[in-house]
Amino acid sequence: MKEMRPTMGVVKSALFNILGNINGRSFLDLFSGSGQIALEAHRRGAAPVVCVEAERSRHAEIAKRAPRRLTCLRMDARRAVSRFAKRGESFDIIFADPPYKLGWGKEFPRLIAENVGILAAGGVIIFEHAEEEEAADIAPGWAREERRYGGAALTLYRREENDQSGIPGLVRPDNERAHIYLGTRGGALRRADRRGPREP
């Protein structure tokens, strides 16, 4: 069994600060590990909340603590994503925290590209990865924004058609610098550095 690496407190806090009010929004937690992200999403009013964890003992621990309205599936994340897409099930928010440095920086975006229907219209995907591991683009027409937190990074993906200026509806702390990637043009990734607006 691979060692579990729970999302750091600072990253967890940043994740939910970025998302803002998630009450009533559907939430998928892939590679759930301890289940802390799914449980926090449920506590904040997300619904439905589904978590996916392949390892038997971790899944059992989540299931013991999970409230009745939180669904926890024991299966490989690849199979879960494919199954949801084939069934026409989609989510407003998808969070993925696979093991670091095992190639998921390329594999996870490719998995989403093959199953794009899993993200609801106007939804967002947040992918946690090691800071030194670059997260690939999903496909032309997707915006990508990266935020870094001392060894960890959160890469946000959203379809460009719903994303005219960064990631609307998501909160960026005052003065936080982000790298915003705006899809591909002729094979070259377009990138802009932006700062969030100052509060009055």
Side-chain angles (χ1 to χ4, degrees):
M1 183 199 322
K2 291 186 174 66
E3 183 180 354
M4 183 169 64
R5 178 196 39 74
T7 293
M8 294 186 302
V10 65
V11 179
K12 177 181 172 183
S13 187
L15 168 67
F16 286 103
N17 284 340
I18 288 166
L19 291 173
N21 182 7
I22 61 173
N23 188 58
R25 302 188 74 191
S26 53
F27 194 106
L28 174 62
D29 178 18
L30 295 168
F31 308 91
S32 195
S34 67
Q36 61 168 323
I37 299 298
L39 290 165
E40 182 65 16
H42 179 272
R43 188 185 72 78
R44 290 172 181 253
V49 177
V50 177
C51 67
V52 175
E53 173 53 49
E55 205 283 314
R56 183 186 298 274
S57 62
R58 292 174 193 158
H59 172 269
E61 284 298 313
I62 301 170
K64 274 198 292 190
R65 294 184 294 137
R68 199 182 318 180
R69 289 180 295 170
L70 192 156
T71 301
C72 188
L73 304 176
R74 188 172 73 84
M75 63 171 59
D76 178 78
R78 302 173 190 85
R79 189 161 65 89
V81 167
S82 176
R83 189 177 84 163
F84 290 135
K86 285 176 182 174
R87 293 183 176 186
E89 298 177 70
S90 61
F91 298 86
D92 298 313
I93 302 163
I94 299 172
F95 175 71
D97 179 17
Y100 283 8
K101 301 177 184 178
L102 290 181
W104 283 103
K106 292 182 179 178
E107 183 170 357
F108 180 71
R110 184 167 59 242
L111 178 65
I112 295 299
E114 292 168 355
N115 298 279
V116 291
I118 194 174
L119 183 66
V124 63
I125 297 169
I126 303 183
F127 171 48
E128 181 182 341
H129 54 95
E131 189 174 14
E132 63 269 27
E133 179 182 21
E134 185 175 355
D137 200 26
I138 288 179
W142 286 73
R144 174 163 65 91
E145 177 177 330
E146 184 178 288
R147 305 183 188 184
R148 299 181 180 187
Y149 304 92
L154 295 177
T155 293
L156 287 64
Y157 294 99
R158 195 165 180 180
R159 292 176 190 162
E160 242 182 342
E161 63 202 48
N162 299 316
D163 186 8
Q164 300 304 312
S165 58
I167 310 289
L170 300 180
V171 179
R172 181 180 302 121
D174 188 32
N175 284 334
E176 180 179 298
R177 196 169 191 84
H179 302 304
I180 302 174
Y181 299 84
L182 303 172
T184 55
R185 295 291 183 274
L189 200 63
R190 295 190 292 123
R191 164 175 157 172
D193 288 338
R194 298 185 184 171
R195 290 185 183 271
R198 283 188 171 273
E199 295 293 332

